[in-house]
Amino acid sequence: MELRPLRTELKFLIHHTVRSMLLERWSRYLVRAPFTNEHAVTPILSQYYDSPTLEFYHEKLAGVGLRNKVRLRTYGRGFRSDQTTFLEIKHRCDDQVRKFRYRLPAFSEAFMEPENWTFDEPEMAAVFGVLYERYRLRPSAQVYYQREAYEGAYERDVRVTFDTCVV
């Protein structure tokens, strides 16, 4: 299990001309993020999981400050055995975010269903098991988009992303 560091995450909806202006202004402070192509872009496909009553979704709409989301994520156009795939819990407390991430040793179609989730690590089994049991998790939505990602050239804890082509 990988526990990502706590970070501040702020999101804004902006026009593409503003994106261009920001990148021009910030260009000397940013570098292309790892795992992106020559245009700093990578495809992202996420399968989200929620309760039968969509509790996670309704908490987000209501602006609940302390909430979770559970997703299966790959950096490609489809979930395939040759793609790196992660099962993630994104825990949010207001603007602070922490991500628990489990890299699947090998993806199989069966893993799309939470009742088939198995883990090599007992702590992952416990963390995901609690959410699965408490919320009776099931697939709820699948989202694809392209992410243009940059990191701080000097401040490595800075990350700037632009998401487009959301489907």
Side-chain angles (χ1 to χ4, degrees):
M1 171 172 71
E2 177 187 357
L3 176 59
R4 294 277 179 88
L6 191 63
R7 68 173 196 244
T8 300
E9 184 176 273
L10 303 171
K11 295 186 179 188
F12 303 94
L13 182 61
I14 62 171
H15 193 269
H16 67 89
T17 57
V18 173
R19 174 204 153 278
S20 298
M21 184 271 304
L22 290 172
L23 283 176
E24 182 178 318
R25 183 167 290 189
W26 295 342
S27 64
R28 67 178 164 240
Y29 306 108
L30 297 175
V31 295
R32 182 172 58 91
F35 310 110
T36 60
N37 67 16
E38 65 276 5
H39 305 290
V41 174
T42 189
I44 298 177
L45 177 63
S46 296
Q47 172 64 60
Y48 288 89
Y49 296 87
D50 206 335
S51 71
T53 58
L54 302 176
E55 266 183 81
F56 295 158
Y57 174 71
H58 291 294
E59 287 174 353
K60 179 180 175 61
L61 289 181
V64 173
L66 185 61
R67 62 183 189 268
N68 292 299
K69 71 170 83 163
V70 178
R71 65 185 173 213
L72 191 62
R73 173 166 279 184
T74 192
Y75 297 93
R77 289 177 166 66
F79 290 103
R80 300 187 322 257
S81 60
D82 63 335
Q83 289 285 122
T84 302
T85 305
F86 298 92
L87 187 58
E88 301 175 342
I89 298 170
K90 191 170 178 183
H91 176 75
R92 176 180 291 275
C93 182
D94 298 318
D95 290 336
Q96 298 289 300
V97 174
R98 174 158 282 148
K99 191 173 3 178
F100 298 86
R101 190 174 222 210
Y102 177 74
R103 183 179 179 155
L104 300 179
F107 175 77
S108 79
E109 190 70 29
F111 212 79
M112 297 295 286
E113 297 297 329
E115 61 267 14
N116 297 324
W117 293 350
T118 58
F119 303 95
D120 301 341
E121 303 168 18
E123 60 273 6
M124 281 306 283
V127 169
F128 280 97
V130 164
L131 288 173
Y132 172 68
E133 291 295 325
R134 181 174 179 194
Y135 293 98
R136 298 181 330 218
L137 294 177
R138 58 193 63 199
S140 60
Q142 198 170 95
V143 177
Y144 171 84
Y145 56 94
Q146 292 180 18
R147 172 165 286 164
E148 184 178 358
Y150 302 91
E151 292 181 346
Y154 309 104
E155 299 86 8
R156 287 308 203 183
D157 60 340
V158 171
R159 184 168 165 84
V160 175
T161 63
F162 301 96
D163 296 342
T164 58
C165 303
V166 179
V167 187

